[in-house]
Amino acid sequence: MPELPEVETMVRGIRPEVEGRIVDAVIQPDCRCRPIQFQPTFRTLAKRVTGCRIRAVRRIAKRVVLELDSDCSMVFEPRMTGLMLLADPPDEEHLRLQLQLRSGRRKTSLWFWDRRGLGTVTLFTPDELAMRLGPGFLGPDALEIEPAEWVRRLSATSREIKVALLDQKLVAGIGNLYASEILHRASIHPQAIASQISRAKLRQLHAVTGEVLHEAIAYEGSTLNDGTYRNALNQQGQYQNAHRVYAREGELCGNCQRETVVRIVQAQRATFFCPRCQRW
């Protein structure tokens, strides 16, 4: 489930403890669950990372990036259930990777935990990173894209606006949960055709997107009913308490207080909206 706010929260949580530290060992815990994907192989990756200093921690869309002093970047893609943790994993059964850090601060390890085993860990050279996660692969970040570029990209597609927002090549970082919340806040029907939405409305949507994502980051993301998402210290996010429509099917809309939230399916993903607040 981790989307931009959750991954940004992971980055901000681990950065103070991880930046500048030397990786003394890369360990693959004994895990009998579905294995995650390493590229290159775990043995090769561990050999190339051990002894490196973590120069910076940043986010690319919905991925955590550790920049190493070897000029390579270690990229963690959490996908559905992956977490970056400094302490107290939800359980030891689903620990996938441990970076043992040279002592000097409170935390001695960085862990990658993944319940479903869909996450990936990839070591990229600078050229590989640019090719695989650069502009040709991902659109501008949802928190960095300029309003004019946002309008240009969305007005050029004839897809439903909710589906367009999930296209990482169009705009990177927005996932299913926040797309529903953003569209409700902007009073836009999720099935409205992007190219038919006025430019003024698309500019408003750009502003609302920033508002929702920054609010979610301030609340350290959303922990849903399955309890999977946790921050770097294994604590729940709090933004789920502020959700207006996501997973609230049949509940009275908190905005208009007159219509109930409806659930539909778009591109095989659940969408939640208020028919009154988000007229088509």
Side-chain angles (χ1 to χ4, degrees):
M1 196 285 302
E3 299 182 20
L4 186 156
E6 287 74 37
V7 177
E8 181 67 22
T9 298
M10 292 181 203
V11 167
R12 296 185 185 192
I14 68 175
R15 182 182 286 143
E17 292 287 343
V18 169
E19 278 190 348
R21 305 283 291 279
I22 293 174
V23 180
D24 274 339
V26 182
I27 301 166
Q28 187 175 23
D30 183 23
C31 179
R32 299 181 182 181
C33 304
R34 169 179 174 162
I36 67 170
Q37 178 183 332
F38 290 96
Q39 187 178 350
T41 64
F42 171 77
R43 181 173 295 183
T44 300
L45 183 147
K47 184 176 181 180
R48 290 172 60 186
V49 171
T50 300
C52 289
R53 186 181 298 275
I54 300 172
R55 192 165 53 194
V57 182
R58 64 187 179 100
R59 176 182 59 80
I60 296 180
K62 294 185 278 187
R63 299 165 181 83
V64 176
V65 180
L66 306 185
E67 294 183 355
L68 307 176
D69 62 1
S70 64
D71 288 334
C72 288
S73 294
M74 196 173 186
V75 178
F76 295 81
E77 186 172 7
R79 296 196 175 177
M80 294 297 292
T81 58
L83 300 174
M84 302 294 296
L85 299 163
L86 292 166
D88 303 323
D91 60 56
E92 295 188 3
E93 180 183 3
H94 298 100
L95 285 172
R96 309 297 183 146
L97 185 71
Q98 176 189 3
L99 297 185
Q100 196 170 72
L101 305 174
R102 189 161 298 178
S103 60
R105 300 184 197 175
R106 290 176 301 167
K107 307 301 181 184
T108 59
S109 290
L110 175 65
W111 302 89
F112 184 58
W113 181 95
D114 186 359
R115 178 167 54 82
R116 294 182 62 180
L118 299 175
T120 65
V121 182
T122 307
L123 189 66
F124 288 115
T125 65
D127 288 343
E128 290 169 340
L129 186 69
M131 182 177 65
R132 295 279 298 277
L133 296 178
F137 184 87
L138 291 172
D141 190 88
L143 287 180
E144 298 175 358
I145 185 171
E146 294 295 330
E149 181 66 7
W150 170 278
V151 171
R152 185 188 71 79
R153 286 173 172 263
L154 289 178
S155 62
T157 178
S158 59
R159 288 172 293 178
E160 295 174 346
I161 186 63
K162 163 74 182 315
V163 176
L165 290 178
L166 298 183
D167 182 354
Q168 300 301 294
K169 290 188 176 182
L170 196 67
V171 180
I174 301 173
N176 194 53
L177 187 165
Y178 293 103
S180 286
E181 291 296 310
I182 288 165
L183 290 171
H184 180 264
R185 181 86 64 96
S187 301
I188 296 176
H189 195 286
Q191 292 177 306
I193 303 303
S195 60
Q196 296 176 6
I197 299 173
S198 72
R199 289 178 174 268
K201 196 68 174 174
L202 288 176
R203 284 193 292 271
Q204 179 194 2
L205 180 62
H206 174 272
V208 166
T209 297
E211 291 172 6
V212 170
L213 295 179
H214 280 297
E215 283 180 15
I217 292 168
Y219 281 94
E220 297 198 312
S222 301
T223 299
L224 303 182
N225 290 336
D226 63 6
T228 296
Y229 167 70
R230 322 284 289 182
N231 67 16
L233 297 178
N234 192 31
Q235 298 170 341
Q236 289 191 1
Q238 297 297 321
Y239 195 65
Q240 67 276 6
N241 300 316
H243 290 175
R244 297 186 177 196
V245 290
Y246 187 80
R248 296 189 181 279
E249 178 186 9
E251 297 182 22
L252 198 64
C253 172
N255 184 48
C256 69
Q257 294 288 320
R258 297 180 66 179
E259 186 63 80
T260 56
V261 174
V262 172
R263 178 187 184 275
I264 61 173
V265 176
Q266 294 176 278
Q268 300 180 320
R269 306 296 301 276
T271 297
F272 301 88
F273 70 100
C274 171
R276 180 178 178 84
C277 295
Q278 297 167 261
R279 296 182 186 274
W280 190 5

